[in-house]
Amino acid sequence: VQLVESGGGLVQAGGSLRLSCAASGLTFSRYAMGWFRQAPGKERELVAAITTSSRITRYADSVKGRFTSSRDNAKNTVFLQMNDLKPEDTAVYYCGASRWGIDAIPGQYDYWGQGTQVTVSS
């Protein structure tokens, strides 16, 4: 199984980025997908998650109204559209695949990508 994130980078505050996570080696449509982030010295936290059919999404309070998660099961890819980025959004962003649903606990995710760095300058 491989999850490969892309789309990170350096952006000014107020800017946008779109992260992608391409999955292979698993039946993608059977896994809920989550986006987590981890800043230096902090625990990994859930940013957004989406169910297998995209019917339900959940977001951290800190990103509601700014971030949107979507998925394309035909392309085995999940996306995170990030708008109005703030310096506090700076972190390594990871995608995870879970058989158990859109859980906020990292331990409930079966597979992880390698992460992509997002840096927001003020």
Side-chain angles (χ1 to χ4, degrees):
V1 175
Q2 268 198 316
L3 302 178
V4 180
E5 301 98 335
S6 61
L10 173 63
V11 64
Q12 288 188 331
S16 298
L17 285 173
R18 189 189 194 209
L19 305 184
S20 299
C21 172
S24 60
L26 77 170
T27 305
F28 181 73
S29 61
R30 294 182 181 176
Y31 286 79
M33 298 299 295
W35 285 99
F36 287 73
R37 66 187 180 189
Q38 190 165 18
K42 294 189 176 182
E43 294 186 350
R44 191 171 295 193
E45 63 173 358
L46 179 71
V47 175
I50 186 167
T51 54
T52 55
S53 64
S54 304
R55 190 169 66 89
I56 301 172
T57 52
R58 67 182 291 183
Y59 298 94
D61 288 343
S62 59
V63 307
K64 281 181 182 176
R66 301 188 297 123
F67 290 12
T68 302
S69 183
S70 61
R71 65 189 292 163
D72 184 340
N73 286 347
K75 296 182 178 180
N76 290 359
T77 304
V78 61
F79 305 97
L80 184 67
Q81 178 67 43
M82 306 187 294
N83 298 329
D84 189 24
L85 282 160
K86 303 177 180 182
E88 51 265 41
D89 294 319
T90 296
V92 178
Y93 283 69
Y94 300 88
C95 68
S98 172
R99 292 169 292 169
W100 312 111
I102 48 175
D103 207 286
I105 301 173
Q108 293 296 95
Y109 287 74
D110 303 284
Y111 305 107
W112 291 95
Q114 82 289 348
T116 185
Q117 176 71 46
V118 171
T119 303
V120 184
S121 63
S122 56

